[in-house]
Amino acid sequence: MGIGRSVAFALAVASMAALAGCGEGPSAPPDAEAASRNLQPADPALAAIYQRSCASCHTVAATGAPLTGDEGAWSPRMDKGMDTLLDSVVNGFGGMPPFGLCMDCDAAQFEALILFMASGEPNGA
Ligand code: HEC
């Protein structure tokens, strides 16, 4: 009986350690969050939209959004293709509300914002 308990205890400790390790995964290191807050599109009109609509989530790791400039988080998204990503923004996707909170944005603006966020480059390159 004593042995069974200590095995259970060891398993509990091991699984807690595994969970703790999870929080430090490569998807959202604290540096990526700080770095994302220093980035914005070069175009002033696009920067204004980005600041009021997208940045509130895409610079905050706790929202679950891929962070601006975090190429590791964006590359599997970009692999879906731009048409799919535009659909995700327009219709909403997971924790993201429809239109990413920019109701008057058009597809070209969404595409420019996506290219900027995925690359972290002010010109979306
Ligand atoms: C209220 C928070 C919020 C706002 C505002 C927001 N997003 Fe998101 N976005 C998210 C979250 C959360 C995800 C990840 C959803 C998931 O994978 O379940 C996401 C994912 C995405 C994706 C990837 C979709 C996919 O199919 O993988 C794109 C593209 C995107 N956002 C673009 C934008 C753009 C452009 C804006 C601004 C116009 C914006 N988002 C505003 C929360 C937000």
Side-chain angles (χ1 to χ4, degrees):
M1 190 168 74
I3 289 171
R5 278 198 179 187
S6 52
V7 167
F9 178 71
L11 282 175
V13 169
S15 63
M16 279 191 294
L19 282 176
C22 240
E24 294 152 15
S27 58
D31 297 359
E33 193 179 64
S36 72
R37 297 204 174 135
N38 291 324
L39 298 169
Q40 65 169 341
D43 177 67
L46 207 62
I49 295 169
Y50 170 71
Q51 290 298 346
R52 95 175 118 82
S53 304
C54 318
S56 53
C57 297
H58 285 270
T59 63
V60 180
T63 64
L67 298 174
T68 299
D70 183 351
E71 293 184 54
W74 277 101
S75 73
R77 313 263 182 185
M78 295 307 274
D79 287 348
K80 300 181 190 181
M82 187 52 75
D83 287 351
T84 303
L85 295 182
L86 288 172
D87 273 358
S88 297
V89 178
V90 169
N91 298 319
F93 185 79
M96 179 163 59
F99 296 96
L101 295 182
C102 183
M103 298 306 174
D104 55 356
C105 281
D106 61 27
Q109 288 168 318
F110 283 138
E111 183 168 344
L113 288 164
I114 291 168
L115 291 173
F116 156 69
M117 291 200 287
S119 66
E121 295 294 332
N123 291 308

